[in-house]
Amino acid sequence: MYNAYWDHLKEQLSSTPPDFTCALELIKNVKEILLSLLLPHQNRLRNEIEESLDLSVFEQETEQGALDVLHLSTYILKLMSLLCAPVRDEAVKKLESIKDPAELLRGIFRVLSLMKMDMVNDTVKYLQPYRQEHSIQHERAKFQKLLEKQPDSLICTKMWLTDAARDLTTPFPSSDIPRSSTSTTWSFSDQEVENSEPPSLTMVLYQAYLNLLLKDYGNEEYPETLLMDRIRLQKMNSKLKHLTILASVLLVARSFSGSVLFRSPEFVEKLRCVTKALTQEFNSKPEETMLRVSEQVPQEIYQGLKDKGLTALSSENKASLVSQLQNIAKKENCIRIIIEQRIRLFFKCCLIRGMRESLLDFPGGLLFIEGELAELGWKFVSLIHYNQHVFSPYYAEIMKDIISPAQPNKGEVEPV
């Protein structure tokens, strides 16, 4: 139907004498779009468009068969070049070479639609901070009303933050500490790393958010301030467990198949897809899942080596590969533990150093799941950024009793 309309326009303009019925309607729509693209202060240009695109004049010219569509289109293109975003300059310039009036009007209408969408996107982007601030204030006010009815309803939130503070006072390997650059807005201080002082409020909150993402919290244990986000965080938790197994399998497979085979993007992608499909039910059936994986992955490696004319795995290596793959089902599996630690390090970096810097310094062993981890990282940071802005006054009040009062001025909960 869309193509038929433009074919009909072409027939009208090509007939003798030309029929300008559809063309006139299009020009009317084009004028409305051009006016909608103007900013409130552009009164001079608005008046110029009203005068130059006077529909009553065009109707008179149409009745006399004297409407010059090409000349009119040239003026419209001039206006479009003034109003369009830089990204549309090339598209507008290409229209200048079209001589067929019907095709030119069609091109003008298409590019104007893109310009209108650009205007909408810019408006949404401009209003986003105001919309978010209104949303934050609204959600905080609703939560405050609930607290007024049930003053002691933050029990789980207090336990959640207390557990996080306790985790931070437990010694952890120095290799697990993300190092910040000079541009980092927040970092562990030397005293915090050595655990010689109580952790800062921000540090406790980051650890608390990480615990929600990386540990299993029952519904009855979930902090009240995150109940609205519980399902999303639990889905992220489940996704991370699946990615942990996927990365573990691929790491083991690479150690047995040699670097040559894993330099092939096609082979790696095929093995990823196969493994990803086979491990979908790992959370509910770990042993059974890894049994299927240990049967299929060696076959994929055998075929990959054969296709490249490489020596097949020996019986001893194949048996060792199968054993190591099946062993991933155990929580104490060393490969699985390494992957879990590196995932924890990545998300800690996302909080402390920011997403962009964290993606530039991706932990080794996780490259097979880099895309999925990056996507989860953006979602996680965005979710807790909003939650922190809404509930930061409540977190600060609760943590007054958790953090030592003698601590230097670190009372504010900084945004992520």
Side-chain angles (χ1 to χ4, degrees):
M1 291 178 66
Y2 182 78
N3 290 329
Y5 174 83
W6 295 108
D7 290 340
H8 179 61
L9 172 67
K10 192 168 188 175
E11 289 176 6
Q12 284 191 339
L13 295 178
S14 302
S15 62
T16 306
D19 183 353
F20 296 109
T21 306
C22 286
L24 196 61
E25 188 63 30
L26 276 175
I27 293 170
K28 179 182 177 182
N29 291 334
V30 166
K31 179 182 177 181
E32 290 175 356
I33 295 175
L34 287 171
L35 291 173
S36 72
L37 295 175
L38 297 179
L39 297 174
H41 66 274
Q42 293 178 302
N43 293 321
R44 185 190 62 79
L45 192 53
R46 186 182 304 276
N47 293 333
E48 180 186 326
I49 293 174
E50 290 286 3
E51 293 175 6
S52 302
L53 299 181
D54 191 334
L55 296 177
S56 61
V57 173
F58 295 154
E59 288 174 357
Q60 293 175 12
E61 292 178 352
T62 298
E63 292 173 358
Q64 299 170 7
L67 184 65
D68 191 340
V69 176
L70 283 176
H71 177 74
L72 190 57
S73 299
T74 302
Y75 173 73
I76 291 172
L77 288 176
K78 179 184 175 182
L79 289 173
M80 290 170 64
S81 66
L82 289 173
L83 297 173
C84 72
V87 71
R88 304 298 175 199
D89 285 341
E90 187 177 349
V92 174
K93 193 165 185 64
K94 284 182 179 179
L95 294 178
E96 296 174 358
S97 61
I98 300 176
K99 302 304 179 184
D100 182 87
E103 287 299 319
L104 183 54
L105 283 173
R106 182 175 187 172
I108 286 173
F109 208 79
R110 179 182 61 82
V111 177
L112 276 174
S113 298
L114 296 175
M115 290 171 60
K116 193 174 181 180
M117 186 59 66
D118 293 338
M119 186 73 169
V120 171
N121 289 336
D122 284 343
T123 303
V124 170
K125 186 176 180 181
Y126 174 77
L127 293 175
Q128 177 66 16
Y130 302 98
R131 186 200 65 79
Q132 187 175 41
E133 181 60 27
H134 174 75
S135 178
I136 288 170
Q137 296 298 334
H138 175 74
E139 188 167 340
R140 187 182 294 167
K142 296 286 284 185
F143 191 77
Q144 182 60 38
K145 287 182 179 180
L146 291 175
L147 283 184
E148 289 170 0
K149 294 179 181 178
Q150 298 176 322
D152 298 325
S153 59
L154 290 177
I155 296 174
C156 291
T157 303
K158 292 175 184 177
M159 292 176 59
W160 169 59
L161 294 174
T162 302
D163 290 344
R166 188 183 302 115
D167 289 344
L168 289 173
T169 57
T170 303
F172 47 83
S174 60
S175 60
D176 193 37
I177 303 170
R179 301 296 179 187
S180 60
S181 68
T182 55
S183 62
T184 303
T185 57
W186 184 90
S187 64
F188 291 109
S189 67
D190 293 336
Q191 292 82 2
E192 287 169 335
V193 170
E194 296 171 1
N195 292 317
S196 59
E197 287 187 2
S200 68
L201 302 186
T202 304
M203 190 177 173
V204 172
L205 194 55
Y206 285 172
Q207 182 64 41
Y209 283 127
L210 277 173
N211 286 347
L212 280 180
L213 180 66
L214 301 172
K215 294 182 179 180
D216 292 321
Y217 275 75
N219 294 343
E220 67 283 352
E221 302 172 302
Y222 237 79
E224 295 82 359
T225 54
L226 279 142
L227 286 177
M228 295 292 290
D229 302 312
R230 176 173 54 84
I231 294 177
R232 279 189 289 176
L233 283 166
Q234 287 177 339
K235 286 182 178 178
M236 290 183 191
N237 175 279
S238 179
K239 178 70 173 178
L240 277 180
K241 288 179 180 177
H242 186 205
L243 290 177
T244 299
I245 302 306
L246 175 61
S248 301
V249 170
L250 294 175
L251 200 59
V252 169
R254 185 177 65 177
S255 67
F256 280 89
S257 56
S259 58
V260 175
L261 196 55
F262 265 72
R263 287 198 197 105
S264 168
E266 294 80 10
F267 173 79
V268 173
E269 185 57 29
K270 181 182 178 183
L271 191 60
R272 275 186 85 263
C273 292
V274 169
T275 306
K276 196 172 182 179
L278 290 173
T279 53
Q280 289 291 342
E281 298 182 350
F282 179 86
N283 290 341
S284 57
K285 304 174 182 178
E287 289 82 9
E288 184 180 331
T289 296
M290 294 315 300
L291 182 61
R292 291 197 300 268
V293 169
S294 67
E295 293 171 353
Q296 186 63 36
V297 169
Q299 292 182 23
E300 297 295 335
I301 293 175
Y302 169 81
Q303 189 61 46
L305 293 171
K306 182 180 178 182
D307 292 342
K308 290 189 173 295
L310 300 173
T311 305
L313 293 178
S314 65
S315 300
E316 182 180 350
N317 283 341
K318 182 178 179 181
S320 180
L321 170 61
V322 169
S323 175
Q324 289 196 33
L325 289 173
Q326 292 180 359
N327 199 43
I328 292 175
K330 301 175 182 177
K331 291 183 178 180
E332 64 272 16
N333 175 260
C334 60
I335 300 295
R336 184 172 164 183
I337 290 173
I338 289 172
I339 297 297
E340 288 173 348
Q341 288 176 343
R342 291 179 180 177
I343 288 177
R344 183 184 300 273
L345 172 62
F346 171 71
F347 279 95
K348 185 178 288 187
C349 286
C350 292
L351 292 176
I352 298 171
R353 300 168 62 184
M355 280 300 303
R356 288 182 175 83
E357 191 174 343
S358 299
L359 292 174
L360 293 175
D361 189 19
F362 213 73
L366 303 183
L367 295 179
F368 299 123
I369 56 173
E370 182 177 2
E372 293 96 331
L373 272 187
E375 182 182 355
L376 272 179
W378 283 110
K379 289 180 179 179
F380 174 65
V381 170
S382 176
L383 185 152
I384 67 173
H385 176 80
Y386 180 79
N387 179 271
Q388 187 174 357
H389 274 83
V390 173
F391 297 104
S392 55
Y394 304 102
Y395 295 147
E397 187 65 29
I398 290 172
M399 286 193 285
K400 286 180 181 178
D401 299 328
I402 299 174
I403 306 298
S404 171
Q407 187 183 354
N409 184 22
K410 296 180 182 178
E412 293 185 2
V413 180
E414 303 171 16
V416 177

